[in-house]
Amino acid sequence: MEPGAGGSGSGSGCGANLVAACVIGGIVLGSSVLALRLSGPVAIPSLPPVDALRRRFSRRRRRPVRVYMDGCFDMMHYGHCNALRQARALGDELIVGVISDDEIIANKGPPVTPLHERMIMVRAVKWVDDIIPDAPYAITEDFMNKLFNEYNIDYIIHGDDPCLLPDGTDAYALAKKAGRYKQIKRTEGVSTTDIVGRMLLCVRERSASDSHNHSSLQRQFSHGHGQKIDDSGSGSGTRISHFLPTSRRIVQFSNSRGPGPDSRIVYIDGAFDLFHAGHVEILRLARELGDFLLVGIHTDQTIR
C-alpha cells in the first residue's frame, strides 16, 4: 500500500463522521424549534430593575429594634440611669417619654423638678436616642397606637416595681395585653421618694439641733451619710443607701475609652450633690473646651 492511500482513507472517514454529526445536530435543533412552536410563545423572565432590587434588599435588611420607656425622672439619680441602661440593652434605639408636670400632679403629686429640667437630664444620658416630652402617665390605647405607628416602637419597657393608677389599675396593662411589654430590674437602694426623705430628715435635725458646727444644709446632709436611723424615725443622720457600686456595675456605666496621645484633657471637679440640670450644663461646657473630660467627685469628708 502506498503511503498516500492510507491518508486518503482516513480523511474520507473523518468527512463522513462530520456529515453525520451535522445531520444529527440539525435534526435535534429542528425538533427543539418545532416543540417550541407547537407549545406556543414562551415568556423569558427578565431581571427586575435596579431600584426594585434595592428596595427588596432594603426590606430584607434588619430594621433596628426601637424600645420605649417613660418616667417622671424627678430629681434624677443613678437608679434612673441604670433603668435607661437596661432598657437600651433590650433594643437598638431607646425613645424615652418624659411625663408632663400635670400628669405627675394628677397621679403622684407635684414634681420637685419642672419638665424642661427633667428633659435636660434625660437627654444627657448616653443611652437615650430621643425623647418624647409631655408623655402621659398611663399607656392609653391611643398613645400606644401612636407609639407603634408613628414612632415605630417595638416594645414598651418598665421596671419590675408595680405602677398603679389612682383607680388601682396597671398603667401598662394594655402594653402587656398586646404582647409588646418587656420588664427590667429596679435598682434597689435609691428612689426620688427616699432622697426627698433624706432632705426632710436633714431639715428636721438641723432645726432641732443647737449645734453650730455645720452652717449649711449641704454640710449637715453630707455629715449624716451612712449613719443609721432607729425605728422611731429619729437618728443622727440620713438613711443608708444599699446601692453597691461593684466593679461590674462601674464597667457597665463606663464607656471604656481613655484619652488619645494628643487629646486635650479638661478637668473639672465638684460635689455634684443632688445632680441637676445645672450640673449637666457646666459639664457640657467643660467638655467643649477639650477632647476628653475628666471629672473629680469630692468625698463626703471633703464636703464637710
Side-chain angles (χ1 to χ4, degrees), residues 114-137:
L115 175 63
H116 72 276
E117 292 185 14
R118 292 185 283 118
M119 288 172 58
I120 291 173
M121 297 292 293
V122 173
R123 198 185 294 275
V125 177
K126 65 180 181 180
W127 294 292
V128 176
D129 295 289
D130 199 2
I131 63 172
I132 300 176
D134 289 316
Y137 190 83

Side-chain angles (χ1 to χ4, degrees), residues 274-297:
L274 295 175
F275 197 76
H276 52 73
H279 293 135
V280 172
E281 179 63 15
I282 196 171
L283 292 175
R284 183 187 66 81
L285 294 173
R287 177 63 178 80
E288 290 179 352
L289 297 176
D291 306 308
F292 188 88
L293 178 61
L294 183 63
V295 180
I297 301 179

Side-chain angles (χ1 to χ4, degrees), residues 3-24:
S8 174
S10 175
S12 301
C14 290
N17 291 336
L18 180 61
V19 171
C22 291
V23 171
I24 295 173

Side-chain angles (χ1 to χ4, degrees), residues 51-300:
D51 290 342
L53 286 173
R54 286 177 180 171
R55 287 194 296 269
R56 185 177 301 175
F57 284 114
S58 177
R59 285 195 297 269
R60 291 180 180 177
R61 195 177 304 158
R62 188 178 69 89
R63 183 178 68 83
V65 176
R66 291 167 61 87
V67 296
Y68 171 83
M69 183 177 185
D70 59 16
C72 301
F73 302 105
D74 195 15
M75 300 181 67
M76 195 163 180
H77 49 71
Y78 59 78
H80 293 134
C81 295
N82 193 39
L84 295 172
R85 179 191 65 82
Q86 293 181 76
R88 180 62 171 75
L90 295 177
D92 302 306
E93 297 174 1
L94 173 61
I95 313 302
V96 179
V98 184
I99 297 173
S100 68
D101 293 342
D102 291 340
E103 285 281 284
I104 297 176
I105 292 171
N107 289 276
K108 299 182 68 172
V112 176
T113 311
L115 175 63
H116 72 276
E117 292 185 14
R118 292 185 283 118
M119 288 172 58
I120 291 173
M121 297 292 293
V122 173
R123 198 185 294 275
V125 177
K126 65 180 181 180
W127 294 292
V128 176
D129 295 289
D130 199 2
I131 63 172
I132 300 176
D134 289 316
Y137 190 83
I139 301 295
T140 63
E141 186 171 0
D142 289 342
F143 185 69
M144 185 172 68
N145 291 332
K146 184 177 181 179
L147 290 176
F148 295 158
N149 298 326
E150 294 186 22
Y151 290 95
N152 295 320
I153 298 298
D154 295 290
Y155 297 103
I156 295 172
I157 316 295
H158 187 66
D160 56 5
D161 52 320
C163 183
L164 302 179
L165 299 175
D167 61 2
T169 58
D170 186 354
Y172 296 88
L174 290 176
K176 294 176 180 178
K177 185 178 180 180
R180 307 281 287 272
Y181 176 85
K182 288 191 176 184
Q183 193 165 277
I184 58 173
K185 293 290 294 180
R186 180 184 181 277
T187 304
E188 298 296 334
V190 65
S191 68
T192 300
T193 303
D194 180 64
I195 292 174
V196 172
R198 296 184 206 177
M199 295 173 61
L200 293 175
L201 180 61
C202 289
V203 173
R204 185 181 66 180
E205 290 177 352
R206 185 170 184 268
S207 62
S209 174
D210 294 328
S211 173
H212 301 288
N213 295 331
H214 307 290
S215 59
S216 68
L217 176 61
Q218 168 66 39
R219 289 180 179 177
Q220 186 171 354
F221 178 56
S222 300
H223 177 70
H225 266 294
Q227 298 185 14
K228 292 184 178 180
I229 304 171
D230 59 29
D231 294 336
S232 63
S234 63
S236 58
T238 58
R239 189 180 306 275
I240 297 175
S241 172
H242 299 287
F243 178 78
L244 298 176
T246 61
S247 58
R248 178 172 175 267
R249 179 58 52 81
I250 292 173
V251 169
Q252 289 173 338
F253 275 71
S254 171
N255 59 12
S256 303
R257 183 181 64 85
D262 300 322
S263 296
R264 292 178 301 164
I265 302 175
V266 178
Y267 174 80
I268 185 172
D269 61 12
F272 300 107
D273 197 13
L274 295 175
F275 197 76
H276 52 73
H279 293 135
V280 172
E281 179 63 15
I282 196 171
L283 292 175
R284 183 187 66 81
L285 294 173
R287 177 63 178 80
E288 290 179 352
L289 297 176
D291 306 308
F292 188 88
L293 178 61
L294 183 63
V295 180
I297 301 179
H298 299 164
T299 63
D300 292 347

